[in-house]
């Protein structure tokens, strides 16, 4: 009756704070303002190349180069769910229903530094390589309510079994669970996820046209998930009364988990220049991440269900028998005998045993990912980028690029990554920038992201959808050694629709439909300094 509901609550938070930026499932690729305004930077020669094209940075002039960047991102996530049981919600009996989450990252800093001398370029980069924001679902998720509705149906099923064995209306009365499966509850979910990355590496100019790079990125991940489902009521009876009537919070579920971990990413890159063309490639190896939990979670217990049901029945039956004229002591004895017989009824025994068995079989799955002290897998996938740049005239630069994220082989909890298609995530981008004057450069770009999604991977607790992003911006060249950049990009997300048949009882099923999408805006500003 409550185990499914607990499972959903505890597994729901992990994606409520997933990345608000461009890139793969756990990778941010917008680490410099230049990306936001042009989208395609893999083959560009500039200080932003410390991330996008590190081998090409060696072709910049000698000296020190520094970039300081600020970004702000805002994203909404909308899941439209259509489920017949939602009409049993006494506070909002409508279906379909929109569940919205809001993610806001007001300050996302990053910097890139390079010191070029002779054939060498020593480089460093700091940025949020994954995550980067907070996401809040003020009313929980559709999967939360789906299980509450199913919990209510389970409760009235148990109530009906008991009352049939009793031969009288008790738990199915309007004062208790009733017969309709109506319910109410309060729910909330909040998540935060930051993957801080600090890298160091060196590029070497093998010839005037060809360079190579090797580097290492260290990553520190810090995440927090908090959520609750409380005040669950079926009909007019609070659920806690059949779990532990002495504690009003005994049916509440609360998740409070902090996660942290470190990982390291080796990186290799090459760049080749010929005439007005430039070609580049970079490979980032998979980052092995193990996140350690520090949790204080509250979970309901179903172990005392029989005793609590018996206590409820004894109270009601004792009062009933006393009203019929029995002395209190005899009424209590008869009530005890009656409730014992009812709970020993084969149908009632089978119903309660089924609930307990289901609870016990799923409890480890429910709390496994967030169990206190446990380490869980959260790898960052390997990444291959390829870029081609062409400058038909000195003032005009045109780029195209490609990204491949091997998400399928980046281990996640319970190998959920294996639900993705083996091909991983594919991204294609293109951008152009033009020097309007010696002081002003304008640029724009586009990027398409296509995840290797499957229907089994999609749910409101962890979802991404394919998208097209466009960016634009400009650079004001204050001096020959100081540039100021601004940019904006918007992501247009696709809609992904799924449908699931839910069996509530033998011969009784409903269809649970979902429609997933997002909306994303990002602003950025920064300065590039040469000294």
């Amino acid at each position: 009756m409550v185990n499914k509901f607990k499972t959903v609550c505890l597994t729901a938070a992990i994606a409520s704070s997933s990345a608000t930026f461009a890139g793969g499932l756990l990778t941010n690729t917008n680490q410099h303002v230049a990306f936001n305004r042009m989208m395609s930077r893999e083959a560009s020669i500039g200080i932003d190349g410390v991330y996008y094209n590190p081998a090409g940075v060696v072709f910049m002039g000698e000296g020190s180069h520094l970039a300081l960047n600020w970004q702000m991102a805002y994203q909404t996530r909308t899941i439209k769910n259509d489920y017949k049981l939602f009409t049993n919600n006494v506070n909002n009996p409508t279906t379909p229903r929109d569940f919205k989450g809001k993610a806001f990252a007001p300050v996302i800093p990053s910097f890139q530094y390079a010191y070029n001398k002779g054939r060498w370029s020593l480089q460093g980069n700091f940025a949020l390589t994954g995550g980067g924001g907070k996401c809040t679902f003020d009313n929980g998720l559709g999967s939360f309510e789906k299980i509450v509705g199913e919990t209510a149906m389970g409760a009235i099923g148990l109530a009906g079994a008991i009352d049939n064995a009793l031969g009288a209306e008790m738990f199915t009365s309007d004062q208790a669970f009733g017969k309709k499966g109506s319910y109410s509850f309060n729910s909330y979910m909040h998540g935060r996820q930051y993957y801080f990355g600090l890298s160091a590496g060196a590029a070497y100019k093998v010839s005037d046209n060809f360079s190579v790079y090797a580097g290492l990125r260290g990553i520190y991940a810090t995440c927090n998930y908090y959520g609750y489902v409380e005040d669950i009521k079926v009909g007019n009876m609070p659920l806690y009364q059949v779990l532990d009537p002495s504690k009003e919070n005994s049916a509440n579920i609360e998740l409070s988990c902090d996660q942290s971990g470190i990982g390291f990413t080796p990186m290799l890159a090459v760049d080749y220049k010929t005439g007005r063309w430039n070609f580049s490639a970079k490979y980032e190896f998979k980052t092995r991440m193990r996140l350690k939990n520090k949790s204080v979670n509250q979970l309901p217990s179903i172990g005392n269900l029989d005793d609590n049901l018996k206590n409820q029945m004894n109270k009601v039956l004792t009062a009933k028998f006393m009203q019929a004229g029995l002395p209190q002591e005899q009424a209590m004895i008869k009530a005890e005998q009656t409730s014992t017989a009812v709970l020993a009824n084969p149908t009632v025994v089978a119903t309660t045993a089924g609930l307990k068995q289901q609870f016990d079989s799923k409890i480890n799955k429910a709390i496994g990912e967030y169990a206190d002290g446990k380490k869980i897998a959260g790898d960052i996938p390997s990444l291959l980028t390829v870029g081609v740049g062409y400058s038909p005239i000195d003032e005009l630069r045109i780029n195209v690029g490609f990204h491949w994220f091997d998400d399928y082989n980046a281990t996640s909890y319970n190998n959920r990554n294996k639900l993705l298609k083996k091909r991983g995530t594919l991204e294609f981008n293109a951008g152009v920038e033009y020097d309007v004057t010696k002081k002003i450069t304008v640029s724009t770009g586009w990027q398409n992201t296509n995840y290797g999604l499957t229907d089994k991977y999609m749910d409101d607790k962890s979802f991404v959808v394919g998208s097209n992003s466009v960016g634009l911006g400009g650079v004001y060249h204050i001096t020959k050694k100081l540039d100021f950049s601004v940019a904006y990009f918007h992501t247009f997300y696709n809609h992904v629709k799924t449908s699931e048949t839910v069996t509530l009882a033998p011969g009784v099923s409903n269809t649970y439909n979902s429609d997933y999408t997002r909306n994303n805006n990002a602003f950025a500003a920064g300065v590039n300094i040469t000294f």
Side-chain angles (χ1 to χ4, degrees):
M1 189 159 53
V2 299
N3 55 306
K4 289 184 180 180
F5 189 58
K6 183 178 73 170
T7 302
V8 168
C9 179
L10 291 180
T11 57
I14 187 67
S16 65
S17 60
S18 59
T20 60
F21 298 141
L25 298 179
L26 273 176
T27 308
N28 291 340
T29 55
N30 49 329
Q31 299 190 17
H32 187 281
V33 181
F35 174 89
N36 295 52
R37 64 180 176 83
M38 189 176 172
M39 310 301 286
S40 183
R41 298 294 299 179
E42 289 73 28
S44 293
I45 304 298
I47 184 59
D48 62 290
V50 171
Y51 174 72
Y52 300 102
N53 181 20
V57 175
V58 74
F59 293 114
M60 298 177 66
E62 289 200 351
S64 295
H65 306 272
L66 175 66
L68 301 173
N69 308 280
W70 161 85
Q71 295 186 62
M72 177 179 68
Y74 176 77
Q75 184 181 104
T76 59
R77 308 172 194 187
T78 303
I79 311 103
K80 182 187 292 289
N81 294 126
D82 188 7
Y83 194 41
K84 184 178 179 180
L85 293 187
F86 285 176
T87 60
N88 292 335
N89 185 332
V90 297
N91 295 321
N92 188 1
T94 60
T95 188
R97 187 95 51 77
D98 283 347
F99 295 86
K100 292 186 177 182
K102 298 179 180 179
F104 181 52
V107 179
I108 305 297
S110 67
F111 74 80
Q112 293 80 35
Y113 173 78
Y115 175 70
N116 288 4
K117 183 67 175 180
R119 291 186 174 275
W120 288 93
S121 174
L122 304 179
Q123 304 171 24
N125 178 55
F126 171 80
L128 284 170
T129 59
K134 304 175 181 179
C135 188
T136 300
F137 287 84
D138 289 327
N139 297 310
L141 296 167
S143 57
F144 286 28
E145 183 161 350
K146 173 178 177 290
I147 303 303
V148 173
E150 293 169 2
T151 298
M153 298 302 293
I156 65 172
L158 177 60
I162 292 174
D163 285 6
N164 285 337
L166 181 64
E169 187 178 81
M170 181 180 293
F171 289 107
T172 58
S173 70
D174 290 339
Q175 289 73 38
F177 289 141
K179 302 175 183 177
K180 299 179 180 179
S182 60
Y183 61 86
S184 63
F185 71 108
N186 292 316
S187 182
Y188 173 86
M189 183 55 65
H190 171 88
R192 170 181 55 78
Q193 189 180 66
Y194 290 101
Y195 281 57
F196 298 99
L198 180 64
S199 66
Y204 179 71
K205 190 188 300 182
V206 179
S207 69
D208 291 341
N209 301 91
F210 181 67
S211 61
V212 296
Y213 168 88
L216 182 69
R217 178 187 300 123
I219 297 175
Y220 173 70
T222 175
C223 312
N224 171 264
Y225 308 109
Y226 175 76
Y228 60 78
V229 182
E230 60 184 17
D231 301 331
I232 307 168
K233 182 183 288 188
V234 179
N236 285 308
M237 177 177 281
L239 193 59
Y240 79 87
Q241 290 186 5
V242 295
L243 296 184
D244 187 348
S246 66
K247 299 178 181 178
E248 292 188 6
N249 65 349
S250 61
N252 293 350
I253 306 103
E254 182 175 329
L255 168 67
S256 181
C257 177
D258 290 303
Q259 293 179 334
S260 62
I262 60 173
F264 297 93
T265 310
M267 300 173 289
L268 299 173
V270 295
D271 187 272
Y272 178 72
K273 294 170 58 67
T274 176
R276 290 187 173 274
W277 291 88
N278 191 56
F279 303 89
S280 72
K282 180 183 70 167
Y283 185 75
E284 298 185 359
F285 291 81
K286 182 177 74 172
T287 308
R288 184 183 186 277
M289 293 288 293
R290 294 298 179 266
L291 304 173
K292 186 173 182 179
N293 294 342
K294 185 178 181 181
S295 309
V296 181
N297 302 324
Q298 176 184 323
L299 310 175
S301 174
I302 199 171
N304 295 324
L305 179 60
D306 285 340
D307 290 340
N308 289 323
L309 288 172
K310 188 174 183 179
N311 290 336
Q312 289 281 333
M313 294 177 67
N314 285 344
K315 291 179 182 179
V316 175
L317 291 173
T318 296
K320 180 180 178 181
F321 294 148
M322 289 178 65
Q323 289 177 356
L326 285 179
Q328 182 178 6
E329 185 175 349
Q330 293 182 18
M332 293 176 64
I333 293 173
K334 187 175 181 180
E336 176 75 19
Q337 294 172 341
T338 303
S339 60
T340 299
V342 167
L343 293 175
N345 177 275
T347 302
V348 175
V349 170
T351 303
T352 55
L355 291 172
K356 291 178 181 179
Q357 182 179 12
Q358 192 179 36
F359 181 91
D360 292 337
S361 66
K362 291 187 176 182
I363 188 169
N364 184 61
K365 179 180 177 181
I367 67 174
E369 188 169 358
Y370 304 99
D372 185 48
K374 188 171 184 178
K375 288 187 177 181
I376 65 167
D379 291 351
I380 297 176
S382 58
L383 166 64
L384 172 68
T385 71
V386 178
V388 178
Y390 177 63
S391 179
I393 59 176
D394 291 344
E395 295 81 11
L396 180 64
R397 293 164 295 281
I398 302 170
N399 284 5
V400 294
F402 168 75
H403 303 158
W404 173 62
F405 300 88
D406 189 13
D407 298 306
Y408 182 82
N409 290 308
T411 307
S412 60
Y413 183 72
N414 277 347
N415 287 312
R416 187 167 181 265
N417 51 294
K418 296 303 182 182
L419 298 178
L420 294 163
K421 294 180 181 178
K422 291 184 178 181
R423 69 166 176 81
T425 297
L426 306 178
E427 286 188 329
F428 301 88
N429 60 48
V432 58
E433 62 179 354
Y434 179 69
D435 299 328
V436 179
T437 69
K438 292 183 178 180
K439 287 287 187 181
I440 298 176
T441 297
V442 296
S443 60
T444 187
W446 157 86
Q447 178 168 277
N448 173 266
T449 301
N450 190 334
Y451 299 102
L453 301 174
T454 64
D455 286 348
K456 289 183 178 180
Y457 185 87
M458 295 295 294
D459 62 55
D460 59 3
K461 298 175 290 299
S462 179
F463 80 89
V464 290
V465 293
S467 64
N468 285 279
S469 298
V470 292
L472 55 88
V475 184
Y476 179 61
H477 306 283
I478 300 173
T479 69
K480 290 183 178 180
K481 295 187 176 183
L482 180 62
D483 294 337
F484 175 71
S485 302
V486 293
Y488 164 77
F489 86 77
H490 179 79
T491 302
F492 299 90
Y493 288 93
N494 301 331
H495 283 258
V496 175
K497 297 181 180 181
T498 63
S499 184
E500 172 191 359
T501 300
V502 181
T503 301
L504 300 175
V508 180
S509 63
N510 281 329
T511 301
Y512 182 71
N513 298 313
S514 302
D515 183 337
Y516 305 89
T517 192
R518 296 189 181 197
N519 184 60
N520 187 69
N521 295 277
F523 301 87
V527 294
N528 296 340
I529 308 169
T530 299
F531 53 92

